[in-house]
Amino acid sequence: MSQPHESDRLIRGRQALAAIDGEAGEKVISALADIAPDFATYLLEFPFGDIYSRPGLDLRSRETATIAALTAMGTAPAQLKVHIEAGLNVGLSREEIVEIIMQMAVYAGFPAALNGLFVAREAFTAREGNAETST
Amino acid sequence: MSQPHESDRLIRGRQALAAIDGEAGEKVISALADIAPDFATYLLEFPFGDIYSRPGLDLRSRETATIAALTAMGTAPAQLKVHIEAGLNVGLSREEIVEIIMQMAVYAGFPAALNGLFVAREAFTAREGNAETST
Amino acid sequence: MSQPHESDRLIRGRQALAAIDGEAGEKVISALADIAPDFATYLLEFPFGDIYSRPGLDLRSRETATIAALTAMGTAPAQLKVHIEAGLNVGLSREEIVEIIMQMAVYAGFPAALNGLFVAREAFTAREGNAETST
Amino acid sequence: MSQPHESDRLIRGRQALAAIDGEAGEKVISALADIAPDFATYLLEFPFGDIYSRPGLDLRSRETATIAALTAMGTAPAQLKVHIEAGLNVGLSREEIVEIIMQMAVYAGFPAALNGLFVAREAFTAREGNAETST
Amino acid sequence: MSQPHESDRLIRGRQALAAIDGEAGEKVISALADIAPDFATYLLEFPFGDIYSRPGLDLRSRETATIAALTAMGTAPAQLKVHIEAGLNVGLSREEIVEIIMQMAVYAGFPAALNGLFVAREAFTAREGNAETST
Amino acid sequence: MSQPHESDRLIRGRQALAAIDGEAGEKVISALADIAPDFATYLLEFPFGDIYSRPGLDLRSRETATIAALTAMGTAPAQLKVHIEAGLNVGLSREEIVEIIMQMAVYAGFPAALNGLFVAREAFTAREGNAETST
């Protein structure tokens, strides 16, 4: 991981993660430090340094896609919460996020949408606790 | 299904389906005629008459969400193809659709993204065969 | 949502929800009030007002299908618990519910069935706490 | 597999498979002969000799559960087709099978239900080709 | 379950479960006693008496396969934890287990791998609490 | 993609892909050329240049994990076929591959294992057609 030629992706990934996920992203990275530090590097490099840094799709659309997919899959509520906060960070309104999640009832069933909405409520409440506002 | 008070949703659903999915949507509805005609009605009413007709999220974002979810789930390639065509219909470029699908490698794995890309190629090719252009 | 022409489905949905899910259903509806009140309406209208109110399949069979599907999917334990209670409400015995869940080991694997059985124990215990009897 | 003490389960499994799945079950067993003959034995013993032979749930309800689960999962259309035929064999009507599958739109999304309905049409048509009637 | 001819599989299953899962396996079996005792028997007989007792694949490889599958599926974290401990019991090192889980990012996405790593940390920590060492 | 500092991962990825997947891997890469050439680069870099090139787990174990996960997921039969061939390339016997797939009946259900076995038969047959031998 310390090869000098990889640092561009890593630096770009750290910047993208900070811009998109804020503190929540940092927590995931540091949570990996004792168990799988290389995985933290990969997480910065590929999803953030490579994919989220590509110019062909704006971050609002990228978070729309991620919130939709994680709601539909239903197996990663913690990551869904991080990306709902990320959606707010990159300009999605609460209303838009609720619309995305409700729409998943059509593709993944009502329980998936319901569980997604309850995660959204947690994310919105956490944000209020931080005296932040959105929408 | 013939209760007069339900016709608004049905009419709205037919209009939304025509605007979003075009002929591909019509084919799904008529394919249901012999096996489950009521399901065709529900499909027009709830997904299209209710959800896609809501004002809180633009159709571009709705198709972004659907393409992402169906790519991530990996169990409905025929419906993914219909929604890739729908994405083009409501203003997504081919490049944007490819970006949405590639991003799913992060959330649902490389095989899900690969299979999504192959469905996109089919959808793009079918469109060219129809002498239509996009992007 | 207050359009007069939708009230039949809503009324029918509320009645079906009350008959099938009892208090557990009411809790889900009120839990949606602050985050997505329209989704509560859709939940009453489509699953309960449309699907569960159809005459072609008895409620015992409908809950058999739902308990099986939610056990197999494994992503919605809270909704599985509600539908195990609903199964008891519409005439399934505890023994039958345990049989349905055990059978899912064949189609979705032993962990899915195990997790379903642990949800069933919670549902059965909650019911005893309410001094209700079944089977 | 040839231990004499296991023959009861195997015999019971063969009888259950013949009663439930008919020829379609036999085909699956013989398709395994060259690649994994022991798996054919397990398939007869555990799902059919153990689970489907248990007295606590009637075969109609067991096939209701299986059709629901396989529709919701969406990853095994060939097995879903076999169990739709099995459902007809043990007394479910075509209308009931269509109801079970449509209901899955609520729990697993509209594409899962749509794909299940198309499998049902194939199963119903194949049966007509055999000059058999049902419903 | 008390038929004398089934005891070989049951005995073999109990031995395999004890050798592979140790106390964690025993806990699962006794947790089933009140809700579905027959399912405990099936769990000993088929997965452990039949599959894990087959000679064609060593236990290290069997646990590699199980850890990979449960990480990828993401619906059974409790069972994944048991099998991470089982992996240590049959000779996988912590490093190897972390590699297996990280690799699942490729096939099931980064959230699945992340959640698997967090389960692994719990399993490793629990083991240290028991003053056991591995790797 | 042409930045000189990324060439190490790309070169390492190409070598790993060739060693593991042989021609089947090359076909996937070239199939991406017209629709998403950057995704081909990512596929070489992250799964093959990063993950499969890590020293902490031998390739036999890596393919065991991948075959297990893809069988359990059931959504990527084409990729499962490639990795069954890859398993043979890195030293797994046909018997071992069949054992891995059969074991998935325990974790993901009998239909997932059945479908995996049918993919294995295709992969084994294709290999014989190439006059290659294994096991």
Side-chain angles (χ1 to χ4, degrees):
Chain A
M1 284 306 103
S2 59
Q3 294 143 288
H5 63 258
E6 296 200 279
S7 56
D8 281 7
R9 292 171 72 231
L10 241 181
I11 293 164
R12 198 168 58 217
R14 279 192 206 285
Q15 289 170 339
L17 184 77
I20 297 167
D21 283 354
E23 281 180 35
E26 268 314 301
K27 272 187 205 163
V28 171
I29 296 303
S30 54
L32 286 166
D34 62 331
I35 180 102
D38 290 357
F39 198 71
T41 306
Y42 294 141
L43 189 58
L44 289 165
E45 288 180 336
F46 176 61
F48 292 96
D50 287 341
I51 296 290
Y52 280 88
S53 298
R54 291 174 63 85
L57 189 71
D58 62 286
L59 287 177
R60 247 175 127 276
S61 298
R62 290 201 183 275
E63 289 302 337
T64 298
T66 299
I67 291 167
L70 292 178
T71 300
M73 294 172 76
T75 46
Q79 286 85 356
L80 175 58
K81 193 178 167 199
V82 168
H83 282 282
I84 288 170
E85 295 184 48
L88 296 171
N89 290 342
V90 301
L92 288 170
S93 70
R94 289 184 184 202
E95 185 193 4
E96 288 170 322
I97 289 169
V98 165
E99 290 293 328
I100 295 163
I101 296 174
M102 291 200 311
Q103 184 174 321
M104 291 303 106
V106 176
Y107 299 102
F110 278 73
L114 266 174
N115 290 335
L117 289 170
F118 295 146
V119 172
R121 186 167 47 194
E122 272 181 54
F124 295 165
T125 306
R127 217 168 167 86
E128 275 152 21
N130 295 339
E132 290 174 52
T133 59
S134 66
T135 302
Chain B
M1 286 304 104
S2 60
Q3 292 144 291
H5 63 256
E6 296 200 281
S7 57
D8 281 8
R9 292 172 71 233
L10 241 180
I11 293 165
R12 201 169 56 217
R14 278 193 206 285
Q15 290 170 339
L17 183 76
I20 296 166
D21 283 355
E23 281 180 35
E26 269 314 300
K27 273 188 205 160
V28 171
I29 296 303
S30 55
L32 286 165
D34 63 330
I35 180 105
D38 290 357
F39 197 72
T41 307
Y42 295 142
L43 188 58
L44 288 165
E45 287 181 336
F46 176 60
F48 292 95
D50 288 342
I51 296 292
Y52 280 88
S53 298
R54 292 176 62 85
L57 190 70
D58 61 285
L59 288 176
R60 249 176 126 274
S61 299
R62 289 200 184 277
E63 289 301 337
T64 298
T66 299
I67 291 167
L70 292 178
T71 300
M73 296 172 75
T75 45
Q79 287 86 357
L80 175 57
K81 192 179 168 200
V82 168
H83 282 282
I84 288 170
E85 296 183 47
L88 296 171
N89 289 342
V90 300
L92 289 170
S93 69
R94 289 184 184 201
E95 185 193 3
E96 287 170 323
I97 289 169
V98 166
E99 290 293 328
I100 295 163
I101 296 174
M102 290 200 312
Q103 184 174 318
M104 290 304 106
V106 176
Y107 299 102
F110 278 73
L114 265 175
N115 290 334
L117 289 170
F118 294 145
V119 172
R121 184 167 47 191
E122 273 182 53
F124 295 165
T125 306
R127 218 172 168 84
E128 275 152 20
N130 295 339
E132 289 174 52
T133 58
S134 66
T135 301
Chain C
M1 285 304 101
S2 59
Q3 293 143 289
H5 64 257
E6 296 200 281
S7 56
D8 282 8
R9 291 172 72 232
L10 241 181
I11 293 165
R12 200 169 57 218
R14 278 193 206 286
Q15 289 170 339
L17 184 77
I20 297 166
D21 283 354
E23 281 180 35
E26 269 314 301
K27 272 187 206 162
V28 171
I29 296 303
S30 55
L32 287 165
D34 62 331
I35 179 103
D38 289 358
F39 197 73
T41 307
Y42 294 141
L43 188 59
L44 289 164
E45 287 180 338
F46 176 61
F48 292 97
D50 287 342
I51 296 291
Y52 280 89
S53 298
R54 291 174 62 85
L57 190 70
D58 61 286
L59 287 177
R60 248 176 126 275
S61 298
R62 289 202 183 276
E63 289 301 337
T64 298
T66 300
I67 292 167
L70 292 178
T71 300
M73 295 172 75
T75 46
Q79 286 85 355
L80 175 58
K81 192 178 168 201
V82 168
H83 281 282
I84 288 169
E85 296 184 46
L88 296 171
N89 290 341
V90 300
L92 288 171
S93 70
R94 290 184 182 201
E95 184 193 4
E96 288 170 323
I97 289 169
V98 166
E99 290 292 329
I100 296 163
I101 296 173
M102 291 200 312
Q103 184 173 321
M104 291 303 105
V106 176
Y107 299 102
F110 278 73
L114 265 175
N115 291 334
L117 289 170
F118 295 145
V119 173
R121 185 166 50 193
E122 273 182 53
F124 296 165
T125 305
R127 215 168 170 88
E128 275 153 19
N130 295 339
E132 290 174 52
T133 58
S134 66
T135 302
Chain D
M1 284 305 100
S2 60
Q3 293 143 292
H5 63 256
E6 297 200 278
S7 57
D8 280 9
R9 292 171 72 231
L10 241 181
I11 293 165
R12 201 168 56 217
R14 277 193 207 284
Q15 290 171 339
L17 183 77
I20 297 167
D21 283 356
E23 280 179 35
E26 269 315 299
K27 273 188 205 161
V28 172
I29 296 303
S30 54
L32 286 165
D34 62 330
I35 180 103
D38 290 357
F39 197 71
T41 306
Y42 295 141
L43 188 58
L44 289 165
E45 286 181 338
F46 176 60
F48 292 96
D50 288 343
I51 296 292
Y52 280 88
S53 298
R54 290 175 62 85
L57 190 70
D58 61 285
L59 287 176
R60 249 176 125 273
S61 298
R62 289 200 184 278
E63 290 301 336
T64 298
T66 299
I67 291 168
L70 292 178
T71 300
M73 296 172 75
T75 45
Q79 287 85 356
L80 175 58
K81 191 178 168 200
V82 168
H83 282 281
I84 288 170
E85 295 184 48
L88 296 171
N89 290 341
V90 300
L92 288 171
S93 70
R94 288 184 183 201
E95 185 192 3
E96 287 170 324
I97 289 168
V98 165
E99 290 293 329
I100 295 163
I101 296 173
M102 291 200 312
Q103 184 173 319
M104 290 305 105
V106 177
Y107 299 102
F110 278 73
L114 264 175
N115 291 334
L117 290 170
F118 295 146
V119 172
R121 186 167 48 193
E122 272 181 55
F124 296 165
T125 306
R127 216 169 170 87
E128 275 152 19
N130 296 337
E132 291 174 51
T133 58
S134 65
T135 301
Chain E
M1 287 304 103
S2 59
Q3 293 145 290
H5 64 257
E6 295 200 282
S7 56
D8 280 9
R9 291 172 73 233
L10 242 180
I11 292 165
R12 199 169 58 217
R14 278 193 205 286
Q15 289 170 339
L17 183 77
I20 297 166
D21 284 355
E23 282 179 34
E26 269 314 300
K27 273 188 205 160
V28 171
I29 296 303
S30 54
L32 286 165
D34 63 330
I35 179 102
D38 290 357
F39 197 72
T41 306
Y42 294 141
L43 189 58
L44 289 164
E45 287 181 337
F46 175 61
F48 292 96
D50 288 342
I51 297 292
Y52 281 89
S53 298
R54 291 174 63 86
L57 190 70
D58 61 286
L59 288 176
R60 249 176 125 275
S61 298
R62 290 200 183 278
E63 289 301 337
T64 298
T66 299
I67 292 167
L70 292 178
T71 299
M73 295 172 74
T75 46
Q79 286 86 356
L80 175 58
K81 192 178 168 200
V82 168
H83 281 282
I84 288 170
E85 296 184 47
L88 296 171
N89 290 341
V90 301
L92 288 171
S93 70
R94 290 185 183 202
E95 184 192 5
E96 287 170 322
I97 290 169
V98 166
E99 290 292 329
I100 295 163
I101 296 174
M102 291 200 311
Q103 184 174 320
M104 291 304 105
V106 176
Y107 299 102
F110 278 74
L114 265 175
N115 290 335
L117 290 170
F118 295 146
V119 172
R121 186 167 48 195
E122 273 182 54
F124 296 164
T125 306
R127 216 171 170 87
E128 274 153 21
N130 295 338
E132 291 173 52
T133 58
S134 65
T135 299
Chain F
M1 283 305 103
S2 60
Q3 294 143 288
H5 63 257
E6 297 200 278
S7 57
D8 281 7
R9 290 172 73 232
L10 242 181
I11 293 165
R12 200 168 57 216
R14 277 192 207 284
Q15 289 170 338
L17 183 77
I20 298 167
D21 283 355
E23 282 179 33
E26 269 314 300
K27 274 188 205 161
V28 172
I29 296 304
S30 55
L32 287 165
D34 62 331
I35 180 102
D38 291 356
F39 197 71
T41 307
Y42 294 142
L43 188 59
L44 289 165
E45 287 180 337
F46 176 60
F48 291 96
D50 288 343
I51 296 291
Y52 280 87
S53 298
R54 291 175 62 85
L57 190 70
D58 61 286
L59 286 176
R60 249 175 125 274
S61 298
R62 291 202 183 276
E63 289 301 337
T64 298
T66 299
I67 291 167
L70 292 178
T71 300
M73 295 173 76
T75 46
Q79 287 85 355
L80 175 57
K81 192 178 166 200
V82 168
H83 282 282
I84 288 169
E85 295 183 47
L88 295 171
N89 290 341
V90 301
L92 288 170
S93 70
R94 289 185 183 200
E95 184 192 5
E96 287 170 323
I97 289 169
V98 166
E99 290 293 327
I100 295 164
I101 296 174
M102 290 201 311
Q103 184 173 320
M104 291 303 107
V106 176
Y107 298 103
F110 278 73
L114 265 175
N115 290 335
L117 290 170
F118 294 146
V119 172
R121 186 168 46 192
E122 273 181 54
F124 296 164
T125 305
R127 217 170 169 85
E128 274 152 19
N130 295 338
E132 290 173 53
T133 58
S134 65
T135 301

